[in-house]
Amino acid sequence: MPELLIELLSEEIPARMQARAAEDFKRLVCERLAKAQLAFTSADAYVTPRRLTLVVDGLPERQPDVREERKGPRVGSPDKAVQGFLRAAGLSSIDQAEVRETDKGPSYFAAYVRAGAATPEVLASILIEVLTVLPWPKSMRWGAGHFRWVRPLHNILAVFNGAPLAASQPLGADLTLSGNASTQGHRFLAPGEIGVTDFADYAAKLNDAKVMLDPAERRALIARKAEALAAAEGLSVRADEALLDEVTGLVEWPVPMLGSIDPRFMDVPAEVLITAMRAHQKYFSLLDADGRLAPRFVLVANTEASDGGAAIVAGNERVLRARLSDAKFFWDEDRKRTLESRVPKLAERVFHAKLGSDLQRTQRLGILASVLAPLCGGDARLASRAAALAKADLMSAMVGEFPELQGIMGRYYARHDGEAPEVAEAIADHYAPQGPSDRCPTTPVSIAVALADKIDTLAGFFAIGEKPTGSKDPFALRRAALAVIRLIIENGLRLNLRPLFESAQAAYPDGTTQSGAVTVCDDLLAFLADRLKVHLREQGVRHDLVSAVFADGNEDDLVRLLARVDALRDFLTSDDGANLLVAYRRASNIVRIEENKDKRHYVGEVDEELLAENQESDLYRALSEARDEIAAALSDERFRDAMAILAGLRKPVDAFFDRVQVNCADAQRRENRLKLLSQIRSALGGVADFAQIEG
């Protein structure tokens, strides 16, 4: 069946935009094909630095014909209305119309078949529409035109069933970009024009013209050849998937080559060398057998050189020497001053207009870290010292040039200054974890300073009302909350968060908080509960169980909370748990309905003298005993014991519902029985809010 091939050739598309653009291009075209009733068998999109390509296979040559019906005027309507109906329906005589009964009397109807349009005619309009709506993070205009695209668009290759598609895009100022059946090869290696007839012909000729169309193929080739070059030197490529993706988007004909780092730079910290090569030059770092940075790197050229790449490698090594000369200068200069001497300069950096400077922030971190350290099993003095120096490397020249090295350089400078090893490590670790795949600190002083950093941030921004809304989170507060959760759970820390939030709140100057401190702490705990649900959902834990345990508002120990959630989950998967949940809902519904009807609450002590049936006496006795036992078990954090006690209530509860009429004629007994049902709710509520449990 016919095939559609489209290629949009432009100036270089930024690598970070390519994959999304290919997805959007395919999605938009396919959506419009479906809307136009043009079915197809497959659609694939490809992207290179200069071209977006889409091939759609199995399209029909025409749209299907559509049978339509038009309702006309009533029988006996003026001739003008009848003639208008005939013209609209394409009829020559009213005898060709059908008369049917309607609510308004007999009316004319015309049935006709609308012929489907030829597919090329539909495709042309689809292509032009997609060109105008394809979203780019940033776009530009060029020349005198008004058309916007990520970079100047040079050519539209549009071929349907082997023939060029007559599509054209006006660019303004009398300029038009027309569809055709030709494209261009590699910008330097094969810049000539190429005529194509279909996708197979297109892909083959592009390959001959030094363009590897499939990004997955380019990526695999880069990885394979880089490893081979490294292995030939007894080295390995440092894993960097993001860099591999980026480099794949920079070349149409990848040619990996091996370069060398000048040995005089090898005493500069490895992180600096790696960052300089990665951030500015897009080089892959190589490691020796011991995992240390080797004095070699892999660059990926976008061309083949007649000298085997010697000139390209020499040029890149020359550029790298200039980069590393700057890095070595920063490294040598920064070590002439201590970290501590840089701390006062933090007063010149504004953390946030309403939250003070980085110096004030550092002072708050020192207080909070010293509080947290003993709770984490660490030394308060060391934690306070690390917090005091944690932000000082922001004032160094190296971090000014390479912001991604903040914390890492602080560790190097702290070691150089003779600070304690725990202090140096805490300075490097205090930003972590920065994401779900980032390493979580495990040593006590590092944990304390990292927690202080996140808690201070959360408390500050919540105090001034800068909470995340919808998809907006400009201060990365969701990430900070998830980091707090990981730090606590992965290290098994027994912390009560509410007093820590209150301490963080109190460290800010008076007047910072827009609302009451209690309100801020409540909001923070609720925010953390929401993040915890997200965190646990990824591990298969039901979010409603977290809500049920959090519902009493007093649980702020995440380790204890998770233990309760685990016990509750196991309990509810048992027969006793599932049946007791049903009984709880039945009791709650009865009490709620009667309370609404009577406009009062049925709470309070049950009158034993009014217990007429054995089943209600048994339930009363079981609830009375269970209540104290549950309280004792919860106090001792024996959550599974508490659940087992709950399970023992199933039998008397079932017997009560089988034999006792709650809404009896005796008003006093009815009230007494409703109070008894209310006690079922309160007994289970000591463990969790069962009303929050779904299913």
Side-chain angles (χ1 to χ4, degrees):
M1 293 182 74
E3 171 196 272
L4 169 67
L5 171 63
I6 306 171
E7 182 209 67
L8 307 173
L9 184 72
S10 68
E11 297 288 336
E12 273 72 4
I13 305 168
R16 69 181 187 282
M17 301 181 187
Q18 292 174 12
R20 178 63 183 272
E23 291 174 9
D24 287 340
F25 188 34
K26 175 181 170 181
R27 174 180 55 81
L28 292 171
V29 171
C30 291
E31 285 176 355
R32 282 155 179 78
L33 289 174
K35 189 177 179 182
Q37 296 185 312
L38 290 173
F40 56 90
T41 54
S42 65
D44 295 296
Y46 302 90
V47 63
T48 79
R50 297 181 63 207
R51 57 198 90 215
L52 273 177
T53 300
L54 177 68
V55 56
V56 183
D57 201 12
L59 283 164
E61 295 187 7
R62 301 187 64 83
Q63 286 178 309
D65 295 341
V66 178
R67 187 180 186 281
E68 294 183 346
E69 188 176 84
R70 178 183 291 271
K71 179 177 178 295
R74 284 184 297 172
V75 175
S77 296
D79 184 62
K80 188 175 181 180
V82 173
Q83 293 302 321
F85 166 63
L86 293 176
R87 282 194 300 274
L91 303 181
S92 57
S93 167
I94 197 64
D95 294 338
Q96 295 174 312
E98 182 184 349
V99 177
R100 296 183 199 165
E101 284 296 331
T102 68
D103 295 340
K104 298 179 180 177
S107 301
Y108 293 112
F109 284 83
Y112 56 92
V113 175
R114 182 169 57 82
T119 301
E121 298 174 13
V122 183
L123 292 177
S125 60
I126 287 177
L127 175 57
I128 298 308
E129 183 185 352
V130 170
L131 273 176
T132 56
V133 301
L134 188 72
W136 293 101
K138 288 184 178 179
S139 59
M140 60 183 292
R141 293 186 297 177
W142 60 95
H146 56 72
F147 179 72
R148 299 188 71 89
W149 194 252
V150 61
R151 293 289 184 272
L153 190 58
H154 288 181
N155 186 59
I156 301 176
L157 180 152
V159 176
F160 175 71
N161 203 18
L165 194 67
S168 62
Q169 172 61 46
L171 302 180
D174 298 326
L175 295 174
T176 300
L177 200 61
S178 299
N180 55 67
S182 65
T183 184
Q184 297 172 13
H186 190 280
R187 184 188 288 278
F188 310 116
L189 299 175
E193 191 169 293
I194 303 168
V196 301
T197 56
D198 56 26
F199 178 71
D201 183 47
Y202 167 79
K205 287 180 176 175
L206 273 188
N207 195 65
D208 292 342
K210 306 297 184 185
V211 175
M212 195 175 291
L213 182 64
D214 190 343
E217 191 179 344
R218 295 199 303 276
R219 193 179 194 276
L221 183 143
I222 293 169
R224 186 174 67 253
K225 290 196 172 181
E227 284 291 353
L229 288 170
E233 300 287 325
L235 307 172
S236 61
V237 180
R238 179 178 172 273
D240 194 333
E241 297 297 316
L243 180 61
L244 186 55
D245 288 338
E246 185 174 7
V247 172
T248 299
L250 295 176
V251 293
E252 288 197 316
W253 193 251
V255 182
M257 301 175 182
L258 195 63
S260 298
I261 303 173
D262 191 323
R264 64 193 169 100
F265 299 119
M266 292 308 292
D267 63 341
V268 177
E271 292 91 338
V272 176
L273 301 182
I274 292 170
T275 302
M277 290 192 291
R278 184 189 191 283
H280 298 293
Q281 303 305 121
K282 315 303 178 192
Y283 297 161
F284 293 93
S285 303
L286 303 186
L287 305 176
D288 63 18
D290 297 326
R292 293 173 302 193
L293 184 68
R296 309 300 295 273
F297 62 89
V298 170
L299 66 97
V300 181
N302 187 33
T303 187
E304 293 173 339
S306 57
D307 63 353
I312 294 174
V313 171
N316 279 272
E317 288 176 343
R318 187 167 56 251
V319 173
L320 183 60
R321 275 196 297 275
R323 289 283 184 192
L324 297 187
S325 294
D326 291 343
K328 182 173 175 54
F329 173 78
F330 297 145
W331 169 242
D332 293 336
E333 287 298 308
D334 283 346
R335 286 180 297 162
K336 292 178 180 177
R337 291 180 55 190
T338 63
L339 265 184
E340 188 172 20
S341 70
R342 299 180 188 278
V343 171
K345 294 285 284 182
L346 290 171
E348 299 171 7
R349 285 177 57 95
V350 177
F351 171 57
H352 186 279
K354 295 180 181 177
L355 299 178
S357 68
D358 274 332
L359 178 60
Q360 292 170 310
R361 176 166 157 76
T362 300
Q363 292 164 345
R364 292 194 303 271
L365 294 186
I367 297 170
L368 196 54
S370 62
V371 172
L372 278 159
L375 303 175
C376 302
D379 186 304
R381 184 182 56 81
L382 292 177
S384 179
R385 178 66 176 168
L389 300 175
K391 307 295 180 185
D393 66 350
L394 295 175
M395 307 309 298
S396 67
M398 185 71 85
V399 175
E401 179 69 10
F402 302 109
E404 53 270 60
L405 292 176
Q406 59 186 340
I408 295 171
M409 297 315 300
R411 173 171 56 193
Y412 279 109
Y413 298 145
R415 286 177 180 169
H416 180 266
D417 296 345
E419 299 287 347
E422 295 93 333
V423 171
E425 291 304 312
I427 292 172
D429 287 345
H430 86 280
Y431 292 108
Q434 298 191 50
S437 58
D438 194 20
R439 183 185 64 84
C440 190
T442 55
T443 56
V445 175
S446 292
I447 296 168
V449 181
L451 272 175
D453 185 65
K454 278 76 179 174
I455 291 175
D456 175 80
T457 299
L458 289 167
F461 283 105
F462 268 65
I464 61 173
E466 293 284 0
K467 306 171 189 174
T469 55
S471 61
K472 296 180 179 177
D473 186 13
F475 304 108
L477 300 185
R478 292 190 180 101
R479 188 173 70 188
L482 283 170
V484 169
I485 290 169
R486 282 192 61 195
L487 283 162
I488 292 175
I489 293 177
E490 292 184 21
N491 290 294
L493 298 178
R494 301 302 307 272
L495 301 176
N496 290 108
L497 286 169
R498 181 177 288 279
L500 291 174
F501 287 146
E502 289 171 352
S503 295
Q505 194 79 42
Y508 280 94
D510 292 341
T512 302
T513 306
Q514 291 182 346
S515 54
V518 174
T519 303
V520 170
C521 289
D522 288 343
D523 289 349
L524 272 171
L525 282 174
F527 181 66
L528 214 68
D530 287 341
R531 293 302 95 201
L532 183 62
K533 292 174 192 172
V534 174
H535 179 74
L536 294 179
R537 188 184 303 142
E538 295 170 356
Q539 301 175 19
V541 179
R542 287 168 49 180
H543 67 90
D544 56 330
L545 302 187
V546 180
S547 298
V549 175
F550 243 123
D552 69 357
N554 296 318
E555 185 56 270
D556 62 350
D557 180 334
L558 298 187
V559 173
R560 186 170 59 205
L561 180 144
L562 288 182
R564 292 176 67 173
V565 168
D566 286 344
L568 183 60
R569 179 185 57 197
D570 293 344
F571 174 64
L572 291 174
T573 55
S574 68
D575 287 342
D576 286 341
N579 289 334
L580 194 62
L581 178 61
V582 172
Y584 167 85
R585 287 173 175 160
R586 186 175 177 185
S588 295
N589 286 337
I590 292 172
V591 174
R592 177 175 50 79
I593 291 170
E594 299 308 314
E595 285 180 340
N596 289 338
K597 188 190 302 178
D598 301 340
K599 308 297 182 191
R600 55 168 296 192
H601 291 294
Y602 288 106
V603 293
E605 291 300 321
V606 172
D607 187 346
E608 291 185 66
E609 299 295 326
L610 294 174
L611 299 175
E613 305 287 346
N614 290 336
Q615 289 78 13
E616 59 183 327
S617 297
D618 292 344
L619 177 59
Y620 173 72
R621 191 163 45 253
L623 283 171
S624 300
E625 292 172 1
R627 198 162 41 205
D628 293 339
E629 292 175 3
I630 290 172
L634 291 177
S635 176
D636 296 340
E637 300 188 9
R638 293 181 285 110
F639 302 117
R640 294 188 185 282
D641 289 348
M643 301 299 167
I645 298 166
L646 282 182
L649 291 174
R650 177 190 166 184
K651 189 174 178 181
V653 169
D654 287 348
F656 177 87
F657 281 123
D658 287 343
R659 303 298 298 272
V660 179
Q661 181 184 7
V662 177
N663 287 315
C664 59
D666 187 318
Q668 284 186 313
R669 284 187 177 161
R670 172 177 175 271
E671 177 179 344
N672 208 47
R673 288 170 180 173
L674 287 169
K675 286 181 178 177
L676 188 57
L677 291 183
S678 182
Q679 288 192 357
I680 296 176
R681 194 168 53 179
S682 61
L684 271 65
V687 175
D689 183 358
F690 280 66
Q692 302 272 349
I693 297 173
E694 300 174 356

